Amino acid sequence: MTAGPVAAPLALACVLAAVGYAAGAARLRRRGDAWPWRRDCAVVAGSAALVWGLAGPVPGGPFTAHAGRHLLVAMAGPALLAAGRPLTLVLRLLPPGGPRRELLRVAHSPAAGWLLFPPVAAAVDLGGLWLLYRTGLWAAAHRDPLLGGLLELHMLLAGLVFAMAVCRLDPVRGRCSLPLRAVTLLAAGAAHAVLAKSLYVAGPPGTAFAGADLRAGAQLMYYGGDAVEVFLALVLAVQWYAAAGRRRVRRAASVPVGAR
């Protein structure tokens, strides 16, 4: 990933989305609705990561800088945005009627259900990365700016879909169990780690990076990917803890008062 032709428009879109999110959250609070500040912080941090990865300076050699952009745009930014529950915010803001009903119809459609099914989302996200790095797609993208721009957009959207599928914080079609999402996250993390290790040994076909640059970029991708996956695992752990607490409360409520 390089700062290609769609980088500036995408970065601007991220800034506008963050501003819109903050304005929407402020509107909810003014009318008396609860909306945790940690969600605002997650969206602002995620948007900043995307803007930095898309248009900001990333230090290091060519491949190391690319690995940094990959982590910011395809992993860290989408994970933080998903934690902010953007769809939930929009649904809370929209009044009952046409636009809200249409948005719910899309979120609950079979297509959305399949795309946000964790194994499918992981296959789309990780499959795209393997195609980019282990085929001639990288070299072709650097020869064709339009293809490079489309790949940037794909990596951002695929990363966002994967993060939303694993976190499952917004109201979308289908209910996926915590064990399925946890296993999917582990499998995706393993696939990403294997890819990073393969890049440590040999760069993408058709490229000629310096050995030190290639190894530094592969290490950044490996350990940075682990950090993002730990964040997503923490989101799942919080959900598991909350679900366990609700089950305990229901069990306690079902016990007759005299039997307690």
Side-chain angles (χ1 to χ4, degrees):
M1 179 182 294
T2 58
V6 303
L10 281 178
L12 177 60
C14 291
V15 172
L16 294 176
V19 171
Y21 182 100
R27 181 182 170 190
L28 278 184
R29 296 187 182 102
R30 282 197 303 270
R31 75 184 191 191
D33 292 359
W35 191 259
W37 282 100
R38 64 178 180 274
R39 297 178 188 173
D40 301 59
C41 295
V43 168
V44 170
S47 300
L50 291 177
V51 172
W52 183 16
L54 287 166
V58 180
F63 188 75
T64 304
H66 164 83
R69 294 185 188 280
H70 158 73
L71 287 172
L72 291 167
V73 175
M75 298 189 73
L80 289 164
L81 290 181
R85 303 190 181 190
L87 178 59
T88 301
L89 176 67
V90 174
L91 290 171
R92 292 269 296 271
L93 288 169
L94 288 175
R100 188 177 191 277
R101 189 165 51 247
E102 286 302 309
L103 182 58
L104 277 172
R105 185 182 65 81
V106 173
H108 295 165
S109 66
W114 275 107
L115 187 59
L116 291 171
F117 183 58
V120 173
V124 171
D125 188 22
L126 273 298
L129 293 178
W130 276 87
L131 284 174
L132 176 64
Y133 293 121
R134 299 288 66 172
T135 70
L137 191 56
W138 168 289
H142 279 258
R143 291 192 300 267
D144 185 345
L146 178 59
L147 177 60
L150 291 175
L151 286 173
E152 288 176 347
L153 181 60
H154 166 80
M155 292 177 73
L156 191 161
L157 294 178
L160 183 58
V161 166
F162 174 72
M164 292 182 68
V166 169
C167 294
R168 213 74 178 181
L169 295 171
D170 282 315
V172 294
R173 182 186 177 94
R175 299 184 65 181
C176 296
S177 66
L178 276 168
L180 173 64
R181 288 183 280 145
V183 169
T184 301
L185 178 60
L186 286 173
H192 189 269
V194 171
L195 177 60
K197 288 182 177 181
S198 75
L199 289 169
Y200 189 92
V201 176
T207 63
F209 295 107
D213 180 29
L214 186 64
R215 290 189 291 272
Q219 288 178 321
L220 177 60
M221 189 178 295
Y222 182 89
Y223 292 110
D226 283 351
V228 176
E229 287 147 15
V230 166
F231 172 78
L232 292 174
L234 288 174
V235 172
L236 293 182
V238 170
Q239 290 179 310
W240 173 82
Y241 183 80
R246 288 192 296 268
R247 286 194 298 270
R248 285 195 297 269
V249 170
R250 286 195 296 268
R251 284 197 298 267
S254 65
V255 177
V257 175
R260 296 178 187 177

